[in-house]
Amino acid sequence: MKSESLRGYSLLSPTLLAMVLGLAMPLVVLITLSFWIQDYLDFIRTFSLKNYTDFFQKPIYIKILFKSIRMSGLVTIATVLLAYPMAYFIAFRVKHNKLVWLILITVPFWTSYLLRVFAWKIMLGYNGVINSGLLSLGILSEPLEFLLYNPTSVVITLAHAWAAFAILPIYVSLEKIDRSLLEASRDLGENVFMTFMRVTLPLSLPGVIAASLLVFIPTVGDYVTPALVGGPRGIMIGNIIQSMFGKALNWPLGAAISVMSMITVTLMVCLFIWGTHNFRKRVA
Amino acid sequence: MKNSPSFFKPDGLLVYAVLYLTFIYLPVLFLPLFSFNDSTYITFPLKDFTLKWYDKMINSPDMHEALFNSIKVGLTVAILSTILGLLAAKAVTRYRLRGRGPLVSFIMIPLVIPEIILAISLLILISQAEIPLSLWTVGFSHLLLCIPFSMLILISRMEGFDRSLEEAAMDLGENAWMTFWRVTFPIVLPGIVASLLLTFTISFDEFVLAFFLSSTDPTLPIYIWSSLRFPTKIPAILALGASIFIISFFVVSFSEWVRRRGVKLEPTSRI
């Protein structure tokens, strides 16, 4: 029995080793660096809280962090709300060829992520599809400027880019629901709407939670979308972190901002899971 | 389903489904459209039909180099990630391990951490250890990102089949290696193919990690990123995007064909 579990651990060890080297160690180094200070091209390697006091005293960092969280929150809500009816349609209304519908949904996401984001620049830009299309149709006399380079264009682009990540988990959880439960609810006199609210929605909640996390966590740190379609008003915390490791050359401050972002995102996620857990209890 | 009020429902949802598909397809379809347009500027009205951007794409050595770099990294990452994922999936599905839950959660962390944070912490470690940046550092970072996906796919495949098949093979005198080769491997094969395809795709399309961890050798997303700043280079990039899309269409069709064969095997594997 002992050699049995030893064999199990030895099968697991190469993966664990890669994860310790590439995940645990870098995170420890990141936290260590956040307590150092940048000194031109080198670091002052003594413990200091300067980066954290900078983070809390200059309002810009906290402001942009919360703006990023608000934008990602909006993206998450929009993506999940838009995806839910689609997933519901495939799970309950499509009788044959469900797979065709699922493939149909994933096809647009085979294009490179960068190009998918860039596609929105083509759509919304000053000389973009919407403006040049409306101009040549004679609906507009001059191009609309407010379409691109603002937080809204970032939210739209992200909601589009992450759509598949929301549909698939919700679809899986809807598909798993035992259809006889729905029939039972109808037989016991609930109408379609109440059956949805009291049976379908609570049972699909795990999929909604998974979808929300799959969209929320990566979009908070996204750097590409705000850089391409956000403009100065649409920047997010990922762009600040990137600039600390690029032009601004202040790695320790960048590390501190990353640590604070990670803590904030983790807290938000815990709050969200706790909230949905309570909601589920109340419904049940 | 048969009572009349619900007749109205499917229609509403169907209309929504069509609108939704329009929303996710429309922006993406403009990319191939403008790759055939005889103008550097991406704007309406369309000019003449042209294939010159495809010609430019074929005659662009920089782009080819970036493409081959991405394929090299993608293949290496896909193979290593699938091997590690297979070993780890076997460990957690076939052996009773203490601390299995926390260990698996630890391996899954890259799924729930913003990529930029993974990227900069690796960059700090690598620069502190004075390891030069190269395609290897990019590949290593992609491996971390891909292992959780490989492992999830392979765990679900390994949990799906009956362990007594392996025991039967052992009882009938096969050794552990031949049991794996002749029983486990064929049944897990669709999972292995799925894992190879998914991890290759993730690595091939990954930008943020490659952006921080590559040096002078660009991967394809890095090349695309740097080209997006130059309007004259954009149409050829759109042609490239359209070509990759067509190729992935065939790859996905092929994997679907493999998957269906896997599904057909399933009834016999349950006996």
Side-chain angles (χ1 to χ4, degrees):
Chain A
M1 200 64 220
K2 203 177 174 189
S3 74
E4 175 100 328
S5 66
L6 200 67
R7 274 184 63 189
Y9 285 120
S10 61
L11 283 173
L12 202 55
S13 57
T15 308
L16 282 177
L17 182 70
M19 286 296 163
V20 169
L21 275 177
L23 187 70
M25 270 172 57
L27 287 179
V28 170
V29 176
L30 176 81
I31 294 166
T32 314
L33 184 73
S34 73
F35 292 110
W36 291 352
I37 295 170
Q38 183 86 32
D39 180 30
Y40 297 105
L41 293 173
D42 208 352
F43 307 121
I44 299 172
R45 289 157 204 255
T46 45
F47 180 87
S48 152
L49 284 172
K50 182 175 176 297
N51 300 309
Y52 288 95
T53 49
D54 275 2
F55 177 85
F56 283 107
Q57 273 167 0
K58 291 183 190 155
I60 177 158
Y61 302 124
I62 292 180
K63 220 175 107 190
I64 292 183
L65 178 59
F66 279 102
K67 193 177 82 177
S68 308
I69 285 172
R70 210 169 49 234
M71 282 163 71
S72 291
L74 274 175
V75 170
T76 310
I77 292 168
T79 318
V80 170
L81 282 182
L82 288 172
Y84 198 98
M86 188 70 208
Y88 186 91
F89 172 77
I90 303 175
F92 289 106
R93 295 280 188 254
V94 178
K95 297 287 174 234
H96 311 286
N97 299 327
K98 285 186 191 215
L99 197 71
V100 174
W101 276 90
L102 288 175
I103 290 178
L104 216 55
I105 280 170
T106 43
V107 164
F109 302 96
W110 302 346
T111 325
S112 141
Y113 182 73
L114 288 172
L115 289 181
R116 259 182 287 143
V117 173
F118 184 71
W120 280 98
K121 203 169 167 171
I122 297 179
M123 289 282 283
L124 304 172
Y126 188 76
N127 291 315
V129 169
I130 293 179
N131 274 331
S132 58
L134 291 179
L135 279 175
S136 57
L137 287 174
I139 296 173
L140 288 180
S141 54
E142 53 188 272
L144 303 168
E145 281 185 47
F146 61 82
L147 293 175
L148 194 61
Y149 299 130
N150 55 52
T152 315
S153 55
V154 176
V155 171
I156 294 174
T157 308
L158 285 173
H160 176 262
W162 292 87
F165 290 83
I167 292 186
L168 296 177
I170 297 174
Y171 166 75
V172 169
S173 67
L174 285 169
E175 192 60 50
K176 269 193 205 151
I177 295 175
D178 187 350
R179 304 301 141 114
S180 56
L181 289 174
L182 305 180
E183 279 168 32
S185 161
R186 297 298 301 279
D187 289 349
L188 292 169
E190 295 278 33
N191 61 25
V192 178
F193 178 71
M194 284 312 285
T195 302
F196 174 79
M197 288 305 284
R198 296 185 57 177
V199 183
T200 317
L201 185 61
L203 286 175
S204 66
L205 222 48
V208 173
I209 294 169
S212 309
L213 297 181
L214 274 175
V215 175
F216 181 73
I217 295 170
T219 49
V220 177
D222 193 24
Y223 149 74
V224 173
T225 310
L228 278 178
V229 301
R233 280 178 298 149
I235 59 165
M236 291 171 76
I237 200 72
N239 306 78
I240 299 284
I241 295 174
Q242 193 273 329
S243 76
M244 290 297 161
F245 285 83
K247 273 178 291 184
L249 194 68
N250 192 341
W251 286 28
L253 181 57
I257 298 173
S258 305
V259 171
M260 290 313 297
S261 310
M262 227 166 22
I263 292 172
T264 317
V265 170
T266 311
L267 283 178
M268 301 295 293
V269 167
C270 291
L271 206 68
F272 173 74
I273 292 176
W274 179 75
T276 47
H277 185 77
N278 274 13
F279 173 76
R280 251 157 109 186
K281 258 199 207 151
R282 262 220 322 266
V283 175
Chain B
M1 272 313 129
K2 276 165 196 156
N3 49 347
S4 50
S6 67
F7 267 124
F8 207 74
K9 274 242 143 129
D11 287 352
L13 268 177
L14 185 65
V15 169
Y16 180 82
V18 172
L19 284 177
Y20 191 86
L21 284 183
T22 317
F23 165 67
I24 60 174
Y25 270 86
L26 198 64
V28 177
L29 287 179
F30 282 112
L31 300 171
L33 179 71
F34 283 106
S35 75
F36 294 113
N37 185 33
D38 192 5
S39 162
T40 312
Y41 300 105
I42 295 162
T43 172
F44 279 114
L46 292 172
K47 303 279 190 297
D48 294 331
F49 177 86
T50 179
L51 286 175
K52 73 174 177 190
W53 304 121
Y54 287 84
D55 188 53
K56 205 174 168 189
M57 174 190 93
I58 290 165
N59 296 310
S60 163
D62 288 0
M63 190 188 279
H64 294 177
E65 201 202 316
L67 178 66
F68 283 122
N69 285 341
S70 274
I71 291 175
K72 265 191 296 193
V73 172
L75 285 178
T76 316
V77 168
I79 292 168
L80 286 178
S81 162
T82 304
I83 292 173
L84 290 179
L86 191 62
L87 295 179
K90 189 166 157 65
V92 298
T93 52
R94 291 291 179 268
Y95 298 94
R96 210 171 296 154
L97 300 179
R98 218 184 302 152
R100 179 195 135 133
L103 286 176
V104 173
S105 323
F106 171 62
I107 296 174
M108 296 298 154
I109 287 179
L111 292 181
V112 294
I113 200 168
E115 253 176 71
I116 192 165
I117 290 179
L118 196 59
I120 56 149
S121 32
L122 273 167
L123 176 68
I124 297 167
L125 180 72
I126 286 168
S127 71
Q128 288 294 299
E130 293 180 358
I131 299 166
L133 294 176
S134 66
L135 288 178
W136 290 103
T137 49
V138 176
F140 180 66
S141 70
H142 286 182
L143 188 62
L144 298 172
L145 195 63
C146 289
I147 287 173
F149 287 99
S150 292
M151 204 174 149
L152 284 176
I153 291 174
L154 291 163
I155 285 178
S156 70
R157 193 72 205 172
M158 300 269 264
E159 273 174 347
F161 86 88
D162 194 342
R163 220 200 140 161
S164 55
L165 285 172
E166 286 176 322
E167 282 162 9
M170 298 285 253
D171 290 348
L172 291 169
E174 296 279 33
N175 61 27
W177 173 243
M178 286 308 281
T179 303
F180 173 79
W181 196 237
R182 295 181 58 175
V183 179
T184 317
F185 183 74
I187 296 175
V188 182
L189 187 61
I192 291 175
V193 174
S195 157
L196 286 172
L197 281 171
L198 183 69
T199 51
F200 179 83
T201 316
I202 291 172
S203 163
F204 191 76
D205 196 29
E206 202 291 322
F207 171 70
V208 176
L209 291 166
F211 179 75
F212 282 96
L213 298 172
S214 66
S215 63
T216 48
D217 287 337
T219 60
L220 198 59
I222 304 259
Y223 176 82
I224 295 175
W225 174 257
S226 57
S227 304
L228 288 180
R229 268 179 289 160
F230 305 102
T232 52
K233 282 190 175 175
I234 288 171
I237 292 288
L238 298 185
L240 176 78
S243 313
I244 292 174
F245 181 83
I246 298 292
I247 294 168
S248 32
F249 180 80
F250 284 111
V251 173
V252 171
S253 310
F254 171 74
S255 73
E256 184 48 31
W257 178 75
V258 171
R259 202 192 66 87
R260 283 188 186 210
R261 281 195 53 198
V263 171
K264 269 185 207 141
L265 283 174
E266 219 138 316
T268 49
S269 74
R270 284 212 196 94
I271 305 187

